[in-house]
Amino acid sequence: MQACYLLGVRGRCIWPFAAALLAFVAHLQAAPPSDWTLARGPGFELYSQAPAPETQAALLRFEQLRAFFKQNGFAVNRRGPVRVIAFASAAEYRNYRLSAAADAYYIGGESRDYIVMPGLAPGEFAIAAHEYAHYVLHASETHLPLWLSEGLAEVFSTVRISDRESALGAALPARIQTLRHGWTIPIRDLVSERGAAAQANAREAPLFYAESWALAHLLALSPEYSPRFRGFVALVSEHVPEADAFSRTYSKTMDAIEADARASLEKSFTPIRLPGVEAAGAAVPAQPISIFESQKLLADLLSASGQTARAEQQYRALERERPTDADVHAALAILALSRGERDQARREWWLAMSSNVGDA
């Protein structure tokens, strides 16, 4: 006689497969709920480990930031909402950051844009503005060199927005303090591979960002340089070497421009005044998401950031939990194709289509 388990339900005997199913269901019911919430707006999908009221308030700040850029002539409707992922702490964020020097980051993936941050406190709005500026610059399809892209993002991090007035270009005291300790990356190095290496180095990154900010602020906002700034951007976006672009635009050498940037640190920084931006309406309710959805969110982030081995490991775990999830199979197909495994990609896409994948 086949063995069975007595579960105490009116003395009935439950066969092994049924007992296993009930145990699995009980495990799911006992599992802790996800600590992630989602708030959606016209421009953003904000996934957060912060409390719901904090998530809602942050979404409204993001939407007002989007309205500021749109009002000032920037492209903000590139490919649908930007996905913002905000962790509960720097420790949580550390497991998903791109490098030791990345306090936050923007990724422009093939089908989605990401902003990833360690938190959502109001004091982190400058970080949000910096990363959203990267999205806006990317959406404009202007191909800026690294130093200028980061320098302009630092300039935009100073934005202050209200319904009456906005302001841009205030001093960054921490950056000024760094530069007063020594401007040790010459401009010729800053605009080269040496600058890119400094940006990725946790020790040198503060100096890279400070120098890039000082130069970008000078070029974009100073009375002497700003009238010809668009012409300079056009040249460097066409990959004209910076030395030539500076000479052709301003009739100055890079050393002379570096000297002007250093001198500007001793002057007062008066922000430019811009029109106000209306608040982004009523708070959007933040809804909890399931553990499965939060794990898929993080797997998507790993894939978009190039951490493909970790992404596949996480997708495989999700596949074991839900073998017919179309989005998981589609993601696995993309990873297989990136490795040149075309047959595996076809199998995964067939499973995705069999499960009625919704992403064309």
Side-chain angles (χ1 to χ4, degrees):
M1 179 178 177
Q2 187 173 0
C4 66
Y5 299 94
L6 188 64
L7 296 184
V9 184
R10 295 185 181 176
R12 288 183 296 169
C13 194
I14 308 297
W15 296 110
F17 77 90
L21 177 61
L22 289 174
F24 177 69
V25 171
H27 167 73
L28 290 181
Q29 291 175 337
S34 167
D35 60 349
W36 287 88
T37 58
L38 167 62
R40 296 181 188 270
F44 300 93
E45 296 175 346
L46 176 52
Y47 292 86
S48 166
Q49 288 181 304
E54 191 173 322
T55 302
Q56 293 165 9
L59 178 64
L60 295 182
R61 291 196 297 273
F62 268 103
E63 292 292 353
Q64 193 174 36
L65 180 64
R66 174 176 176 267
F68 167 83
F69 277 98
K70 184 176 181 180
Q71 182 171 288
N72 286 283
F74 291 92
V76 297
N77 298 313
R78 182 167 174 258
R79 306 185 285 205
V82 176
R83 176 172 286 185
V84 180
I85 300 177
F87 289 91
S89 66
E92 295 275 352
Y93 162 78
R94 196 174 296 124
N95 293 321
Y96 294 89
R97 67 184 178 184
L98 291 181
S99 70
D103 294 331
Y105 57 92
Y106 161 76
I107 298 174
E110 290 188 2
S111 60
R112 180 177 284 122
D113 296 280
Y114 288 85
I115 290 174
V116 186
M117 302 172 56
L120 283 180
E124 307 217 23
F125 181 74
I127 294 176
H130 177 114
E131 301 307 334
Y132 190 66
H134 279 307
Y135 161 76
V136 170
L137 293 172
H138 187 64
S140 71
E141 298 184 352
T142 301
H143 304 289
L144 300 180
L146 181 63
W147 69 271
L148 186 54
S149 174
E150 294 296 348
L152 286 175
E154 280 291 272
V155 171
F156 281 116
S157 77
T158 66
V159 67
R160 295 294 177 266
I161 307 170
S162 73
D163 57 349
R164 293 185 177 182
E165 182 182 72
S166 301
L168 180 70
L172 290 175
R175 299 303 187 201
I176 293 173
Q177 188 69 18
T178 295
L179 293 173
R180 284 178 176 161
H181 280 93
W183 186 302
T184 57
I185 304 176
I187 187 173
R188 295 180 184 278
D189 291 340
L190 185 73
V191 304
S192 69
E193 293 181 0
R194 165 80 173 83
Q199 189 254 359
N201 182 291
R203 183 177 61 83
E204 292 188 295
L207 187 58
F208 168 85
Y209 282 101
E211 292 188 14
S212 298
W213 163 72
L215 281 168
H217 192 285
L218 176 79
L219 298 175
L221 298 182
S222 70
E224 179 183 356
Y225 285 89
S226 61
R228 287 174 283 178
F229 181 58
R230 286 183 181 272
F232 176 77
V233 169
L235 290 176
V236 295
S237 66
E238 293 171 0
H239 308 292
V240 173
E242 277 88 338
D244 293 341
F246 280 127
S247 178
R248 289 164 60 178
T249 306
Y250 302 110
S251 300
K252 287 191 175 187
T253 65
M254 287 201 292
D255 290 340
I257 289 171
E258 179 180 322
D260 287 346
R262 291 184 185 224
S264 71
L265 300 175
E266 304 306 321
K267 301 175 182 178
S268 61
F269 285 75
T270 303
I272 60 172
R273 304 296 175 183
L274 297 165
V277 179
E278 291 186 7
V284 180
Q287 302 295 329
I289 63 173
S290 69
I291 292 176
F292 183 88
E293 290 300 321
S294 67
Q295 291 303 306
K296 188 162 65 173
L297 167 74
L298 296 175
D300 290 345
L301 174 60
L302 290 170
S303 180
S305 62
Q307 301 180 65
T308 54
R310 286 181 63 194
E312 178 156 17
Q313 185 180 27
Q314 194 144 319
Y315 284 130
R316 291 298 178 193
L318 294 168
E319 180 191 27
R320 288 191 292 272
E321 184 173 342
R322 293 189 189 176
T324 60
D325 188 274
D327 292 335
V328 169
H329 286 296
L332 287 167
I334 291 169
L335 290 178
L337 190 64
S338 71
R339 297 191 300 267
E341 298 172 358
R342 302 175 70 86
D343 290 340
Q344 179 65 27
R346 288 191 189 96
R347 285 193 291 270
E348 295 292 353
W349 266 316
W350 184 86
L351 289 169
M353 288 185 286
S354 299
S355 302
N356 298 316
V357 66
D359 185 337

